[in-house]
């Protein structure tokens, strides 16, 4: 994040002596991106953040086993409601789709996770339902329905949830607001659909005592359990531009046109070779001749994944797609509204319908998405034929 924040106690200057009440020195930790050449934050620990006492390799249940290409080519529909419930928001992730840039999982969590550090990339966790408390070295965030929580790579954190359904987006790189929304120095511009005021940040230091504290670390080599001599939540203050934050989808200000606007107006974040978009309740296209529904399209460079999270998505009415559904429209396949949906939308406009209440989260990737086990397990086999069968009558 380009937006400077300070939390807790910090000394007047960077890299000067900062003493604990017992006279000892606090230990600095600079968390920084792109090798000192991008955003960073400086954290002050009561104990050394380097002090580990044990390292154990772990088997990785989320490894790449069972991931297959989308072959033969088909549009897909996954029902997350059919997937098992339980576990936590870290180890309970059920991988749906993946490629070399992003891994997309579903979790229906009812337990607290252990401490976790993902050093392979940033994460964005979207809560479709329920609530969860995010605790980290930067402090806490209370997350609820409709929140995206963006977690920078390397943040030690844990999730405490007694009931949350989430889409977990793990990037091989950084997840950021789209560059075109920002000034050259990083402030949100006036045309952006959200601003700094919409971002919720950790509200203060979070201190926890403990010795010999395990942290599960995902790095490029796999999963490791590192045991720290002292609890990593011993930060008395930090400042900088790198930290986790929450953004609620209801705070996204939709951009509308007189005739139908394409998904880039819904873009919320960008990652390496993918984008995240938020489809929110908004006025329908308002030209007297408008067709207020998506047109058939084929983004020849992208696979498109859509997670249906609220309201009534009229373009797919009659297809079996509902709340909790995920559709995948891959490159090589032209997709669009269900047969009859265009006519119904035009009729609705004539009858005075002026808005849509749909809410959906879309991820478009430039590399093809591969099918992971949870996707294969929850697939609706009838979906690919839903356009063709209805069109034939
Ligand atoms: Fe699309």
């Amino acid at each position: 994040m380009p937006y400077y924040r300070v939390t807790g106690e910090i000394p007047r200057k960077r890299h000067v002596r900062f003493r604990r009440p017992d006279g000892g020195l606090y230990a600095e930790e600079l968390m920084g991106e792109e090798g000192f050449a991008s955003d960073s934050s400086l954290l002050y620990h009561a104990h050394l953040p380097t002090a580990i006492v044990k390292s154990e390799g772990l088997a990785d249940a989320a490894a790449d086993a069972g991931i297959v290409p989308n072959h033969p080519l088909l549009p897909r529909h996954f029902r997350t409601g059919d997937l098992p419930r339980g576990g936590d928001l870290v180890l309970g992730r059920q991988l749906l789709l993946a490629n070399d840039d992003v891994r997309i999982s579903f979790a229906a969590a009812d337990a607290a996770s252990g401490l976790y550090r993902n050093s392979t990339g940033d994460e964005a966790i979207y809560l479709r339902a329920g609530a969860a408390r995010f605790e980290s070295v930067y402090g806490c965030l209370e997350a609820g329905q409709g929140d995206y929580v963006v977690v920078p790579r390397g943040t030690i954190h844990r999730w405490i949830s007694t009931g949350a359904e989430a889409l977990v987006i793990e990037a091989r790189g950084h997840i950021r607001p789209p560059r075109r929304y920002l000034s050259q120095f990083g402030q949100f511009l006036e045309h952006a659909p959200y601003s700094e005021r919409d971002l919720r940040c950790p509200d203060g230091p979070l201190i926890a005592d403990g010795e010999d504290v395990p942290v599960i670390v995902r790095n490029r080599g796999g999963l490791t359990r590192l045991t720290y001599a002292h609890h990593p939540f011993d930060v008395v203050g930090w400042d900088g531009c790198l930290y986790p934050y929450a953004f609620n989808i209801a705070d996204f200000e939709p951009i509308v046109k007189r005739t139908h606007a394409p998904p880039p107006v819904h873009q919320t974040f960008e990652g390496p070779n993918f984008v995240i978009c938020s489809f929110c309740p908004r006025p329908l296209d308002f030209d007297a001749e408008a067709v207020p529904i998506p047109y058939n399209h084929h983004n020849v460079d992208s696979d498109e994944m859509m997670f249906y999270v609220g309201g009534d998505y009229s373009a797919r009415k009659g297809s079996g797609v509902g709340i909790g559904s995920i559709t995948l429209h891959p490159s090589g396949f032209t997709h669009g509204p269900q047969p009859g949906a265009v006519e119904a939308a035009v009729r609705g406009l004539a009858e005075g319908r002026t808005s849509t209440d749909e809410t959906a989260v879309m991820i478009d990737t430039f590399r093809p998405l591969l099918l992971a086990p949870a996707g294969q397990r929850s697939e609706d086999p009838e979906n690919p034929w839903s356009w063709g069968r209805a069109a034939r009558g």
Side-chain angles (χ1 to χ4, degrees):
M1 276 309 302
Y3 167 27
Y4 174 81
R5 292 188 55 94
V6 56
T7 294
E9 285 181 77
I10 59 169
R12 188 178 65 84
K13 296 280 287 181
R14 292 160 81 83
H15 318 311
V16 297
R17 291 165 220 172
F18 181 33
R19 295 203 177 275
R20 303 185 305 237
D22 67 2
L25 288 167
Y26 285 112
E28 289 184 320
E29 180 188 22
L30 186 84
M31 295 289 293
E33 295 180 349
E34 299 176 19
F36 297 96
S38 187
D39 293 343
S40 67
S41 283
L42 188 57
L43 296 82
Y44 292 87
H45 290 268
H47 304 285
L48 283 176
T50 51
I52 54 171
V53 297
K54 203 192 293 182
S55 174
E56 302 156 275
L58 300 178
D60 186 0
D64 292 342
I67 297 178
V68 298
N70 183 7
H71 183 83
L73 175 69
L74 282 176
R76 310 275 176 169
H77 170 207
F78 313 113
R79 291 191 169 109
T80 62
D82 291 350
L83 290 169
R85 293 6 230 172
D88 66 60
L89 267 175
V90 175
L91 297 180
R93 296 173 183 181
Q94 303 175 63
L95 190 63
L96 296 159
L97 297 161
N99 65 23
D100 285 346
D101 301 311
V102 64
R103 295 164 67 87
I104 302 164
S105 304
F106 175 77
D110 60 6
S113 76
L115 292 172
Y116 181 57
R117 164 179 263 179
N118 182 350
S119 289
T120 63
D122 294 358
E123 297 183 353
I125 287 85
Y126 178 82
L127 285 193
R128 189 189 78 73
R133 177 179 166 87
F134 171 85
E135 296 186 345
S136 76
V137 287
Y138 296 92
C140 298
L141 287 164
E142 298 293 345
Q145 185 176 342
D147 275 337
Y148 292 97
V149 178
V150 178
V151 184
R153 171 187 260 168
T155 301
I156 296 180
H157 67 279
R158 68 182 167 207
W159 284 98
I160 297 171
S161 171
T162 50
E165 281 194 22
L167 189 73
V168 180
I169 304 158
E170 299 165 290
R172 294 287 169 106
H174 298 302
I175 297 174
R176 292 173 169 146
R179 190 70 196 86
R180 69 179 188 278
Y181 293 171
L182 305 175
S183 76
Q184 63 176 314
F185 300 113
Q187 184 178 7
F188 281 90
L189 295 168
E190 279 295 310
H191 73 268
Y194 61 100
S195 78
E196 287 85 352
R197 294 188 195 182
D198 298 314
L199 307 181
R200 302 187 337 263
C201 306
D203 53 4
L206 170 66
I207 308 287
D209 286 326
E211 294 187 346
D212 296 332
V213 178
V215 177
I216 292 180
V217 179
R218 176 179 296 283
N219 75 339
R220 293 162 200 167
L223 274 189
T224 299
R225 179 163 49 228
L226 284 183
T227 301
Y228 280 80
H230 297 280
H231 203 297
F233 292 174
D234 65 346
V235 173
V236 296
W238 59 268
D239 76 333
C241 295
L242 180 65
Y243 45 83
Y245 61 92
F247 169 68
N248 194 280
I249 199 166
D251 286 324
F252 187 93
E253 299 302 330
I255 296 166
V256 296
K257 286 175 59 183
R258 201 165 58 185
T259 57
H260 201 72
V265 300
H266 308 298
Q267 193 183 348
T268 312
F269 301 109
E270 64 187 19
N273 280 328
F274 73 90
V275 299
I276 303 173
C277 300
S278 304
F279 288 71
C280 296
R282 60 193 182 278
L284 285 173
D285 320 323
F286 50 89
D287 188 272
E289 295 290 316
V291 177
I293 200 166
Y295 34 84
N296 302 313
H297 57 281
H298 182 188
N299 284 326
V300 298
D301 296 319
S302 308
D303 278 13
E304 299 182 19
M305 189 224 86
M306 181 85 100
F307 182 35
Y308 300 81
V309 301
D312 183 12
Y313 197 80
S314 51
R316 297 304 308 275
K317 195 171 270 179
S319 65
V321 170
I323 301 303
S325 287
I326 287 177
T327 55
L328 172 64
H329 297 138
S331 173
F333 171 73
T334 298
H335 63 280
Q338 292 308 118
V342 170
E343 292 78 3
V346 168
R347 226 168 24 245
L349 212 55
E351 291 165 359
R353 187 172 176 227
T354 58
S355 63
T356 170
D357 65 353
E358 73 193 28
T359 309
V361 171
M362 188 175 84
I363 302 169
D364 282 8
T365 65
F366 287 116
R367 278 191 236 246
L369 283 166
L370 310 180
L371 309 177
Q376 297 165 46
R377 216 167 24 242
S378 61
E379 187 169 3
D380 163 16
E382 295 304 314
N383 173 70
W385 326 116
S386 61
W387 293 269
R389 283 181 186 153
R392 281 189 181 161

